[in-house]
Amino acid sequence: MAQVLVVDDSSTVRNEVSEFLKSNGLTVSVAVDGRDGLAKLKSDAAIRLVVSDVNMPNMDGLTMAEKIRGELNNAAVNIIMLTTENSPAMKERGKAAGIKGWIVKPFNGPAVLATFKKLLA
Amino acid sequence: MSIGQRIALLVVLAFLAIATLGGVAWYQFRLNAADVRIVTEGVVPSALASADLVARLKDVQLVTQTLVYAPDENETLQARNRLAAQQERLRESLELQLAGANSQTQQGLAAQAKETLGNYFHAIDETVQLKLAGQQEVAIAALFASVAQYQGELEQIIDTLRVEKNRTKDSAIAALKASMSKTLTIILLVTALAISLLALFGAVLYRQITHPVRDMQQMMSDIAGSQDFSRRVPVRRDDEIGRSIRAFNVMIGKIEESSALLRQKTNDIEAMLLNMPQGVLTVEPDKRVHPEYSAYLATILETEHIAGRNFIELVFAGSNLGADELAQIEAMADSCIGEDQMNFDFNAHLLVDEIQKTMPGGRVKILELNWSPIGDGAGNTARLMLCVRDVTELRKLAAEASEQRQELEMIGQILAVNQDKFHEFIVSAIKFIDESEILIRSHPLPDAGALVELFRNMHTIKGNARTYGLTRLTSIVHAAEQTYEELRKSRPGLVWDQQQLLGELAAVRAAVENYARINEVLLGRKGPGRQGSVERYLLVDKNQIRATLQQLESVNPNSLHELVAARDAVRHTLRLLGTESMEEILGSVIEGLPALAAELNKDAPQLKIRDNGYVLHAQAGGMLRNVFMHLIRNAVDHGIEPAAERLACGKRSAGEIRLDVEVSDEQLRLTLGDDGRGLALVRIREIAVRKGLIAPDARLDDAELAQLIFCPGFSTASKITEVSGRGVGMDAVQEFVQREGGHIRIVFTDQSEGAAFRPFAMQITLPAMLAEQLEGLALAPAMLAGDAPPPAPAVPLPVPGQAVPDRAPQAPIESSSEQGFKA
């Protein structure tokens, strides 16, 4: 049972983000790529927010988002991408997959936390 | 009539038409129904019955023959019974015909038939009686005679009746047909009439409804097309259309109001964008700059090519940001424009708020950037707004202010130290630094003994600096001392690096020399204290320095105005350090005046100095003392007459010498005049001719003549007096002045060209930087009194194209040289 699912193939980012969220009172589950993320989301109905990297092996973040909306038919979970760059094409795809936000690394803790708490409220 | 009523009317009319049509049809069919009944129930059955009559007659005839020819009695009796029945049926049929006769002819025929039927039956009876009587032959004869006769008659009558009946039937059917076709005609006519009437009414009502609607639509289209919202659709009626038009007009009125408001706002925004002294632009989803941006942006970025350009390239080209930082800004823009507003919050920290941008001319500008999202009203960021402020000047001023602050602090520290002791400190510090330098240079490799000595040297300097509170020095010396200490302890990773050590030492030297420079240049305290004159240099009030420092502390680093004011105030305070009033500079000359006058047998003249609030830098003091000593001695010697001569001319016995100090056109002007006899032009000419400076017949005007006194070796005194002739002539005076970048000239104060004596003044002009106005920026008095600093005045927003005033207006100078900085 976790509120937030952090998906990133980099263990550094994964740990940093999840530790930060945990230290601020959120319950966090982690996944190493999009495929893992889908499985975790399927098995834990409590997840209300997915924070995901874009470029990952096996399944990238955008594909995962599309599958969450499509295969899992889960329109309720908030998806936020954590990325280093962005482009109109990615944004287009993201919009279609119902991605709520884009956080450009490095992320700013307080601003991110405030919005996350709002999304989870 | 409203449209609803019109449509209702049309419906009612249609209903009426249909009802009328129905009524007419019903009435007509009622009429036809009677005819049909006559035909179907009367004429046709009756005609059919008349045909039966013939058949029945034949039956009777047949039975009669059967009876007559019957072979036996039995058959005869049977035939007789059958005959009676047949006779009855025939009679009934005829009765029926008689009853159904509907014309005179038919009745007549029926009656005739009935009569003939009686005769026929009577003849049959007689024949039957004959048969029954056994007289068969007679009976047969009778059968062919009377019976056949009556039968023939009856047949004829019935035939005629049948024909008559058929004729009646045919005419009735024909009448019915006629009637039916009349009915059809009437119904068709009524229908045509109804349709025509409905069409007519419909057309009228249609026109009444559609024409105004079309007019309205036309007018509305016109208004919408022309965007001329001052027009109104005329209201000519009070129905639904009229009300629609009224509502439309009200709406147009509201649109007119809001479009006026919009226009006003657009104008306001345009005016703001045109006149605001800030660069404002907005970034569109494709990262291009929106065509509407503030005009001042072009001034800041020094380009007119702004609209539609990629904002990264426009703002950050030539900036101090690296590719990675730019990529982050770009990603940030991509992540938040057109997205939920939270994305701006997530990523706002990636947007830099200050950059250094190298402009095309090579000048570096410091730009302050302020980012904000522009929402689309639905929680998304439609565009990014960027405010660009050129803070180059501000940062420069802040740096200057901080530098001046340091200097002021140092001045305060220096002033707290006795001059001799300070001098000693500087001399000893320089000595230690020199020694240390030799030590470092002579030891390319670490040496424990040298390190001990180096450490001791720095430690001594630091200790002394601390004792005297020279805090700007202590930390720098401490750093060097620490290095030696750590080298001595052989801290790992630290090696004896000659160059580095020399660099460190150079920093210490620079700091010491900076203190020395301030002491000498700003405070004019060169060397050890000199008795008597030294105190004159210590004119700086410590409170003044403290107050100025306070002002620097309280200044808002983001206010150009405050920074300028503070900088100017501090600069002024600094400039006043080491200045003297004219009176102070000429102190020794003034003191010597009575003795000089006495020596020349003249009453001691009065020296009136009007300094207009200007004080002069000490560096010019020596030169001015020399120059004015000579000029004033000349004035007393040559210009001012002996008392008796003066009294004879109506002057006061004691002469008057005036010295005016003024600054104008970036020049310091010192004008010395006296009320003596004036310049002896005739004598000057004689001397010049005698000394071979000019030819005896040279034609020179007064100004050219006066100029001759500056020639080397020229002396106007008829004998070398004790006073003037000390080997320093006007040529030397001129040289003194020129050495300070100035010049000296003679100005006549009258118009009498060619006179033997002409009143004049000596005018010395020098660079204005030698003078300071004593009462410049009025900061000190309030601060000294311990009051809170005056509230900063509202900064007027500069308008593009109009320079920002770089200093506060100065108060008119009224005060005398006595105020402020005198001990």
Side-chain angles (χ1 to χ4, degrees), chain B residues 163-460:
Chain B
V163 169
E164 186 59 31
K165 280 276 174 181
N166 273 339
R167 207 187 46 81
T168 307
K169 181 198 78 178
D170 287 347
S171 74
I173 285 174
L176 184 60
K177 267 189 183 160
S179 153
M180 293 278 265
S181 98
K182 192 179 128 205
T183 299
L184 191 64
T185 308
I186 287 171
I187 288 172
L188 280 177
L189 276 177
V190 169
T191 305
L193 189 69
I195 287 173
S196 309
L197 275 173
L198 276 177
L200 185 69
F201 274 105
V204 170
L205 291 173
Y206 175 79
R207 279 174 61 93
Q208 284 184 351
I209 292 168
T210 57
H211 275 223
V213 170
R214 204 178 53 205
D215 289 351
M216 178 179 80
Q217 182 259 325
Q218 179 68 40
M219 195 79 183
M220 287 174 178
S221 301
D222 280 359
I223 291 174
S226 66
Q227 300 271 303
D228 178 2
F229 299 121
S230 61
R231 285 167 67 189
R232 296 287 180 275
V233 182
V235 184
R236 297 201 188 89
R237 35 205 294 165
D238 195 31
D239 57 4
E240 289 90 337
I241 296 171
R243 287 195 290 276
S244 305
I245 292 174
R246 266 196 211 99
F248 177 76
N249 283 343
V250 169
M251 185 184 79
I252 290 289
K254 291 213 171 118
I255 292 177
E256 188 184 15
E257 263 173 46
S258 53
S259 69
L261 204 66
L262 186 68
R263 209 162 35 239
Q264 187 55 48
K265 285 207 168 149
T266 309
N267 288 345
D268 288 352
I269 290 170
E270 268 175 18
M272 280 182 211
L273 287 177
L274 195 66
N275 296 311
M276 72 195 314
Q278 266 203 23
V280 176
L281 61 86
T282 54
V283 183
E284 298 197 283
D286 56 0
K287 284 175 278 181
R288 302 206 169 272
V289 177
H290 190 269
E292 280 174 356
Y293 56 87
S294 73
Y296 198 66
L297 190 65
T299 311
I300 294 180
L301 299 178
E302 297 179 14
T303 175
E304 294 294 334
H305 178 40
I306 290 175
R309 264 178 74 182
N310 180 295
F311 83 102
I312 300 268
E313 186 217 318
L314 173 70
V315 179
F316 298 104
S319 80
N320 58 333
L321 297 190
D324 186 51
E325 283 165 299
L326 292 183
Q328 275 188 352
I329 293 171
E330 200 164 358
M332 154 68 190
D334 274 327
S335 297
C336 69
I337 303 176
E339 299 287 329
D340 192 292
Q341 202 126 9
M342 70 162 122
N343 288 293
F344 184 84
D345 301 336
F346 283 161
N347 301 313
H349 65 285
L350 297 171
L351 296 168
V352 286
D353 50 16
E354 190 168 303
I355 57 166
Q356 287 176 25
K357 184 172 165 75
T358 309
M359 304 315 291
R363 207 165 76 86
V364 175
K365 276 187 180 175
I366 302 172
L367 301 181
E368 190 183 84
L369 308 179
N370 200 302
W371 306 81
S372 35
I374 299 179
D376 64 354
N380 292 326
T381 304
R383 283 193 251 157
L384 268 188
M385 181 165 82
L386 171 59
C387 297
V388 185
R389 205 158 69 106
D390 184 354
V391 292
T392 316
E393 200 62 20
L394 208 60
R395 296 290 181 269
K396 205 178 93 194
L397 281 168
E400 275 180 24
S402 127
E403 202 176 293
Q404 285 175 343
R405 194 200 129 82
Q406 275 187 28
E407 223 160 65
L408 265 182
E409 265 180 24
M410 288 161 78
I411 289 168
Q413 292 163 5
I414 294 170
L415 288 177
V417 186
N418 170 288
Q419 189 176 351
D420 290 335
K421 286 185 174 158
F422 183 81
H423 178 70
E424 261 174 48
F425 165 74
I426 296 288
V427 170
S428 72
I430 295 290
K431 187 188 72 134
F432 285 128
I433 293 166
D434 287 345
E435 282 174 16
S436 297
E437 190 175 336
I438 292 165
L439 272 171
I440 296 171
R441 286 191 192 283
S442 59
H443 288 93
L445 292 168
D447 178 274
L451 274 172
V452 170
E453 204 169 330
L454 284 170
F455 178 80
R456 197 167 51 233
N457 285 349
M458 284 307 122
H459 193 73
T460 309

